[in-house]
Amino acid sequence: MIDFRYHLISIIAVLLALAIGILAGSGFLGGPVLSDLRHRLNNIATDNSGLQKDVATLRKTTQQNQVFAQATEPWLVQTALAGSAIVLLEPQGTDTAASNNIVSAIATAGGTVRSTITFTDKLALADPTSVNQLALTIHSTSGAGRKLRDQAAMLLGERAAAAASRSLSVDTGKPSEDALRFDDLLNQLERNGFITRDQSQSGMAAAPGTLFVVLAGSVDHPPFPATDFCLTLARSLAAHSAVVLAAEPSTSTWNFVSTVRSDARAQKTVATVDNADTVPGGIAAVLGLREAIRGRIGNYGFGPGADAVIPQPAVSPS
């Protein structure tokens, strides 16, 4: 049982605390401290208002720059890829906006994305069935997931580059043996769920003179080790004399382009664009492919290792 005197003392203590609080609020805080707090709050409100105006100005400037870039894009890329066929290779989960932007820029430049090949999350090789299916498809004896993916990427690059080779092509009116072998590999990979294909044109996936864009990246986690796979793929394409450009959205967390730029074998043979989701990135991809056809490999965008925003125009002889 609670003692009455203890109960009374508790009530007195509470009342005393309330009294001290009231005196402190009306006296001590009502003086310099309260005035200082009000002054600080007014400064914060003023700063916040100024920041909101700055944000509105920056947003307006960004919108105007975007409109300007969209208006100038046709002038910059017109006919740059006229008559060219491009195969777009991308892992599942790659930013759709970047993919659409690249396809649109290529179309504006007179080129055509002949086929879009998407590598699915089955390449995570998370179960024995997937491992066995990929091993059988590429005729490998390896049971290690990473090694199998590397072998698949190398084989894809080799066969795609052979199908696109002009020097090995003979105009017989029929698909070349290399084109048939590349399509056969794609068919097997598609049947087993490792890729999906969006074919915009009938016929083979790659014809002589086909160019390749390897696009990878988003803000989300990749469904399998996509950066390593795409680096191996791009390296293999370039090693077999294909024209290839590696691209990534500016918001991506996959570090695909930076990996290509720092790779000793890829940095001199694979062109790169690090802002593929933007209008300048689309322009850079188109002009970067055109320069790569001419044997000039560059790195474009705003990220580490970029040479320029877009390829620099050739200096006319005086």
Side-chain angles (χ1 to χ4, degrees):
M1 184 174 179
I2 299 176
D3 186 78
F4 176 75
R5 285 175 298 176
Y6 177 80
H7 188 62
L8 181 63
I9 291 171
S10 298
I11 293 174
I12 292 171
V14 171
L15 292 173
L16 183 61
L18 286 171
I20 291 172
I22 292 170
L23 288 171
S26 60
F28 179 70
L29 290 179
V33 174
L34 184 59
S35 176
D36 183 59
L37 286 174
R38 285 174 175 165
H39 178 69
R40 288 171 183 264
L41 286 172
N42 287 336
N43 286 341
I44 290 172
T46 301
D47 290 344
N48 185 54
S49 178
L51 289 172
Q52 287 180 338
K53 289 179 181 178
D54 290 343
V55 168
T57 300
L58 288 172
R59 185 178 290 117
K60 183 178 180 181
T61 301
T62 300
Q63 290 172 343
Q64 290 173 340
N65 289 339
Q66 182 77 356
V67 170
F68 175 79
Q70 289 172 337
T72 56
E73 181 179 17
W75 293 89
L76 291 171
V77 304
Q78 58 180 335
T79 72
L81 295 177
S84 295
I86 293 90
V87 170
L88 179 62
L89 305 140
E90 57 182 30
Q92 182 180 332
T94 295
D95 183 21
T96 305
S99 183
N100 292 340
N101 186 54
I102 293 293
V103 171
S104 175
I106 289 170
T108 302
T112 302
V113 174
R114 185 183 186 91
S115 180
T116 299
I117 299 169
T118 303
F119 304 106
T120 72
D121 57 3
K122 194 170 181 180
L123 279 168
L125 302 179
D127 57 84
T129 301
S130 299
V131 171
N132 291 334
Q133 284 179 332
L134 186 58
L136 287 170
T137 300
I138 64 173
H139 305 290
S140 172
T141 57
S142 175
R146 179 171 182 174
K147 188 172 182 180
L148 268 177
R149 275 191 300 270
D150 282 347
Q151 289 174 343
M154 286 188 286
L155 183 60
L156 275 164
E158 178 185 344
R159 291 203 181 176
S165 175
R166 290 186 185 276
S167 61
L168 298 179
S169 67
V170 178
D171 188 10
T172 63
K174 297 180 180 180
S176 68
E177 186 65 29
D178 291 311
L180 290 170
R181 292 178 71 225
F182 179 45
D183 253 47
D184 179 60
L185 176 60
L186 294 178
N187 288 334
Q188 292 183 58
L189 289 169
E190 187 171 27
R191 247 189 330 266
N192 289 318
F194 293 108
I195 69 167
T196 60
R197 280 198 285 177
D198 179 13
Q199 196 93 352
S200 63
Q201 294 183 350
S202 60
M204 299 294 98
T210 296
L211 315 176
F212 298 91
V213 174
V214 183
L215 172 65
S218 79
V219 295
D220 299 319
H221 192 71
F224 64 92
T227 293
D228 291 340
F229 179 85
C230 289
L231 170 63
T232 303
L233 174 61
R235 228 166 32 187
S236 180
L237 283 163
H240 292 89
S241 303
V243 173
V244 55
L245 178 137
E248 185 173 14
S250 57
T251 55
S252 172
T253 58
W254 296 12
N255 299 318
F256 170 50
V257 160
S258 61
T259 302
V260 173
R261 288 174 178 173
S262 61
D263 183 82
R265 282 186 282 173
Q267 59 187 206
K268 295 180 180 180
T269 56
V270 179
T272 65
V273 170
D274 61 41
N275 55 341
D277 53 326
T278 67
V279 176
I283 295 170
V286 165
L287 298 182
L289 280 171
R290 185 185 65 181
E291 293 302 292
I293 294 170
R294 298 169 176 172
R296 294 193 282 266
I297 304 299
N299 302 299
Y300 310 110
F302 297 96
D307 304 320
V309 178
I310 61 173
Q312 299 300 303
V315 178
S316 301
S318 55

